[in-house]
Amino acid sequence: MTSADPRLVLIAVLPELRGFARFLARQTSEADDLVQEAVVRGLAALPRFQAGTNMRAWMFTILRNAFYEQRRRRKTEDRALAQSFDESEAAAPAQDSHLDLSDLHRQLFTLPPLLREALVLVGAQGLSYEDAALICAVPVGTIKARVSRARRQLSATMQRAPSDAEA
C-alpha cells in the first residue's frame, strides 16, 4: 500500500474512514462531515506525508484528531452559551412561543378558506395586496377586506382560546 500514489491510497481508505467516523460520531451526517474534514486536512498535509509510512493509520489519526477537536470546540461553545444567559429563562419563552405558533396554526384552519388564503398570502408570504389580488383574481379592495376580516376573526378566536382551556 505504501508504494502506490498516496491519493489513490487515500481514496481506497475512504470506506474504512467512514466506518470509523460512524463509530465515533454515531450519526451519519456528522460522520460524513468528519470524513470530509479529515480528507481535506489529509490532502492539505499530503506534502508532509512520509513515503513508506502507513497512509491508512495516518488518515485514521487525522480523523480521530478532527473528531476530538470538534468535540472540545462544541463543549467550549456550550459553556460560553450557558454563561451568556440563564437557561431557565430561555426555555420557558421557547416553549410558549411553540405553543402559540401551534395555536395560531390550529386557529388559522378555523377561518373560511377565502379569508385564510388572503391572510396567508399577505401576512405569511409577505405579498403586497396587489400581488395577492392578482393571484386570487379579485380586486385589491376585496383582498384588503378579506385580510382585515381574517385578522379580526383570528384575533377574537385567539383571545377566546385561553379562557376555553381554563374552563
Side-chain angles (χ1 to χ4, degrees), residues 104-113 116 153-154 157 160:
L104 174 64
H105 184 263
R106 201 172 26 259
Q107 297 304 324
L108 267 174
F109 285 94
T110 65
L111 294 173
R116 183 174 59 238
Q153 285 184 21
L154 195 58
T157 306
R160 281 192 309 263

Side-chain angles (χ1 to χ4, degrees), residues 64-81:
R64 183 181 176 278
N65 290 343
F67 171 74
Y68 285 114
E69 180 184 312
Q70 288 175 3
R71 191 178 229 187
R72 278 190 303 271
R73 187 179 316 127
R74 195 173 303 127
K75 283 182 182 178
T76 304
E77 290 170 353
D78 290 346
R79 276 194 304 269
L81 286 173

Side-chain angles (χ1 to χ4, degrees), residues 124-152:
Q125 296 297 321
L127 295 174
S128 67
Y129 288 113
E130 292 78 16
D131 290 341
L134 286 173
I135 292 169
C136 295
V138 296
V140 174
T142 302
I143 286 294
K144 288 181 178 182
R146 288 178 183 174
V147 169
S148 177
R149 281 196 312 262
R151 286 179 176 157
R152 247 191 336 268

Side-chain angles (χ1 to χ4, degrees), residues 32-58:
D32 290 344
D33 291 344
L34 192 57
V35 170
Q36 182 177 355
E37 177 68 24
V39 169
V40 167
R41 289 181 184 191
L43 289 173
L46 205 52
R48 294 190 307 257
F49 177 71
Q50 296 176 1
T53 59
N54 189 338
M55 169 66 80
R56 181 173 171 255
W58 188 66

